[in-house]
Amino acid sequence: MLDRKRLFTNLHCYMADELSELTNGFYHNIEDGLFELAYSNPDAKQRKRSAGLMRDLRARQRLLLEKFNTQVASSAQDWLEADCRLRQMDDGAYKTAEQIAAKCAAHFSPVLQSIAERTSYATQQNVARQALPLSPEKISYHFVIACKSADLQSDSALIIQSLFRRFVLDRLGLLYGEINAELRQAGCTSLAERNFVGHKVGPFR
């Protein structure tokens, strides 16, 4: 019998580690990104703002990363209570997260749908793609909350969030592929696989 709690605990630990690596890489690249934004912008005020943001982020880096990692770690239960937890999120922050994640969510839609179907099979719930703990929307939501905790000004947060999209969200393909493969190996089938082999029931009776 599938031990779903153990399965999703292990998957979440793997996800948290991978996101931590990506966000660390994001910070290694962020000054180059801000430098590029500053000197490709014809607006002198915007160039000055980007330069000031570089200094500001050096001071807030630890707080921002710690809050993001804490948010990700605290979402472990979302695997088993995905839709319920989605309804408990801050509406304003989630709308911002949806805007940040829109391109990534569309790009990775097929593999995310497969993960949602496998998660639904394991949990015996109808799990929406957006409600997955590793969905681009959820990951972006954690970052939006972290930006608020770091007390970033709205214009600064917009710049940082665009770089987060570039250096974190656009690089989630490997994580999604691994999670999908782990669920498949554990016997969690997708809808297409269940239809193909004529499955009628889930892993629990």
Side-chain angles (χ1 to χ4, degrees), residues 98 100-110 112 129-130 135-137 169-170 176:
E98 284 184 311
I100 298 168
K103 181 180 176 182
C104 177
H107 180 72
F108 292 119
S109 180
L112 286 166
R129 180 197 64 70
Q130 301 94 317
S135 73
E137 293 90 347
L169 297 184
D170 288 352
Y176 291 155

Side-chain angles (χ1 to χ4, degrees), residues 73-205:
S74 68
S75 67
Q77 192 63 23
D78 289 11
W79 290 102
L80 303 177
E81 302 174 3
D83 292 324
C84 176
R85 301 278 286 235
L86 185 61
R87 291 193 294 269
Q88 297 172 2
M89 299 170 79
D90 178 282
D91 288 343
Y94 188 72
K95 286 179 181 178
T96 301
E98 284 184 311
Q99 294 170 358
I100 298 168
K103 181 180 176 182
C104 177
H107 180 72
F108 292 119
S109 180
V111 67
L112 286 166
Q113 184 59 35
S114 179
I115 293 171
E117 291 173 6
R118 296 182 195 282
T119 302
S120 297
Y121 179 82
T123 62
Q124 295 290 277
Q125 301 177 62
N126 185 20
V127 179
R129 180 197 64 70
Q130 301 94 317
L132 291 166
L134 49 57
S135 73
E137 293 90 347
K138 283 282 192 76
I139 293 171
S140 297
Y141 176 82
H142 298 321
F143 191 71
V144 170
I145 295 298
C147 287
K148 287 187 174 183
S149 296
D151 200 27
L152 289 174
Q153 298 297 318
S154 59
D155 54 348
S156 297
L158 287 173
I159 295 172
I160 296 304
Q161 288 160 8
S162 70
L163 294 173
F164 180 80
R165 182 191 305 115
R166 174 179 170 186
F167 292 114
V168 177
L169 297 184
D170 288 352
R171 302 182 183 190
L172 290 173
L174 180 60
L175 170 64
Y176 291 155
E178 289 292 330
I179 294 288
N180 192 46
E182 287 293 326
L183 286 168
R184 183 176 186 180
Q185 187 174 352
C188 305
T189 54
S190 68
L191 183 59
E193 290 165 350
R194 293 197 292 278
N195 289 339
F196 179 74
V197 299
H199 275 289
K200 300 295 183 183
V201 298
F204 307 106
R205 296 173 185 251

